[in-house]
Amino acid sequence: MSEECVFCDIAEGRAPGFVVAENDLAFAILDIQPLSQGHCLVIPRRHVEWWDGLTDDETDAVFRLARLTAAKIRKVFGPDLVTMYVRGRRVPHAHVFLVPTFKDDPLDRVFNALEGFQEQATTLTAIRGQDEMRAAAEKLKGA
Ligand SMILES: [Zn+2]
């Protein structure tokens, strides 16, 4: 537990949260600054800064709950898709974003812009060759 962590406060009942689903090791709440209606966060109960610091059981719990919550979001709000990502710049307690996304909404435009960067082959040619891809994969496998 961190002394000044809003997600720990919610996990331990010291702060309110709009809980939409939960299990023993994780809970899902509405984001209080939503990018769209139904935007949720899936959060491990234990304070851990980065999601790659989760135990195997926590990883199972978080991502199973993310799948369940995404299905609820799709059922209730009917988005084109539910975008999932992890960042952690504002709250240093691992959390998964689940954002209902519709064509041309703000998040859709952000990802469209990112895909635009991916499609700019001239700036990324140096990392796209077969040898470069193979070398990157070997580095990751050996890490
Ligand atoms: Zn925390």
Side-chain angles (χ1 to χ4, degrees):
M1 181 187 89
S2 174
E3 286 188 13
E4 294 185 24
C5 174
V6 65
F7 292 161
C8 284
D9 287 345
I10 294 169
E12 295 172 18
R14 294 189 303 266
F18 294 100
V19 176
V20 301
E22 59 187 321
N23 59 33
D24 289 346
L25 299 176
F27 59 100
I29 57 173
L30 288 174
D31 192 313
I32 60 170
Q33 296 177 317
L35 291 168
S36 64
Q37 191 174 39
H39 174 175
C40 289
L41 304 175
V42 182
I43 305 167
R45 293 187 187 281
R46 182 174 68 92
H47 184 90
V48 56
E49 186 169 358
W50 299 108
W51 72 271
D52 59 350
L54 296 171
T55 65
D56 287 349
D57 286 345
E58 288 169 332
T59 301
D60 287 348
V62 166
F63 286 94
R64 283 177 189 272
L65 195 59
R67 183 183 65 196
L68 173 71
T69 304
K72 289 173 175 276
I73 292 168
R74 288 171 57 81
K75 179 178 179 182
V76 173
F77 297 109
D80 296 339
L81 51 99
V82 178
T83 300
M84 180 172 79
Y85 64 93
V86 178
R87 281 185 41 104
R89 284 203 187 278
R90 288 190 293 182
V91 179
H93 179 141
H95 52 289
V96 174
F97 289 78
L98 296 175
V99 186
T101 305
F102 296 86
K103 182 174 174 37
D104 294 328
D105 72 9
L107 196 60
D108 195 46
R109 292 198 306 266
V110 166
F111 277 92
N112 287 342
L114 289 174
E115 288 165 4
F117 288 121
Q118 286 178 306
E119 291 162 4
Q120 294 175 1
T122 54
T123 60
L124 298 173
T125 298
I127 64 169
R128 288 183 170 178
Q130 290 298 304
D131 290 342
E132 290 77 10
M133 296 290 274
R134 193 173 299 108
E138 289 303 318
K139 286 180 187 174
L140 289 169
K141 281 190 219 172

